[in-house]
Amino acid sequence: MDDDFLLLNGLLLLGFVTCAALALAAFFAWRRPVAQGRIGALEAGLGYALCVAVVPPAVWWCVGTYLQGLAGLRDGAPSFWTHLADIGVTFIVFACLWISWAVAFALACLAAWRFSVCARRWREQAVG
């Protein structure tokens, strides 16, 4: 039973780390064109917000599917406890999704501010 909790905690941590790593990679991917003056801060901010809004559902769907499949392989016939565990896993994954979206919203706000600073610096270098 302790192994199940370790697996669940490890997968939840892996989900959060995956979301954070993909958000960081998207930030650097959008920052480069802003720093070079190819796109504006608003376009980069909206594109980055879209990226960080789409990533968490995909990550948590994969984690939830893996956990549901793992629970289905262990037991032959579903019991009351199996269904209760499925409901618990679904609730935990749903809560993690909403936490990821809250963090993604904060990151999108910070990234939009950073994109505007990069765009302002590029304009100042182009003029001066």
Side-chain angles (χ1 to χ4, degrees):
M1 186 155 188
D2 289 334
D3 293 337
D4 293 339
F5 288 123
L6 287 175
L7 177 67
L8 178 64
N9 290 337
L11 285 173
L12 295 178
L13 183 62
L14 178 68
F16 283 121
V17 168
T18 302
C19 287
L22 291 173
L24 185 64
F27 172 75
F28 286 123
W30 283 99
R31 190 185 70 158
R32 176 171 290 214
V34 172
Q36 294 172 348
R38 290 185 289 163
I39 62 172
L42 179 64
E43 294 89 4
L46 291 175
Y48 180 75
L50 181 65
C51 287
V52 295
V54 171
V55 166
V59 169
W60 292 114
W61 178 79
C62 290
V63 169
T65 302
Y66 179 76
L67 286 172
Q68 297 291 345
L70 191 63
L73 291 176
R74 287 190 181 166
D75 300 324
S79 67
F80 171 75
W81 296 110
T82 305
H83 292 301
L84 190 62
D86 287 343
I87 292 169
V89 166
T90 303
F91 177 76
I92 289 170
V93 169
F94 186 70
C96 289
L97 173 65
W98 279 98
I99 291 169
S100 295
W101 271 334
V103 170
F105 176 74
L107 288 176
C109 291
L110 289 172
W113 170 74
R114 188 68 187 145
F115 292 149
S116 65
V117 169
C118 285
R120 189 177 321 124
R121 282 186 191 157
W122 184 81
R123 275 186 260 131
E124 288 173 0
Q125 288 176 354
V127 171

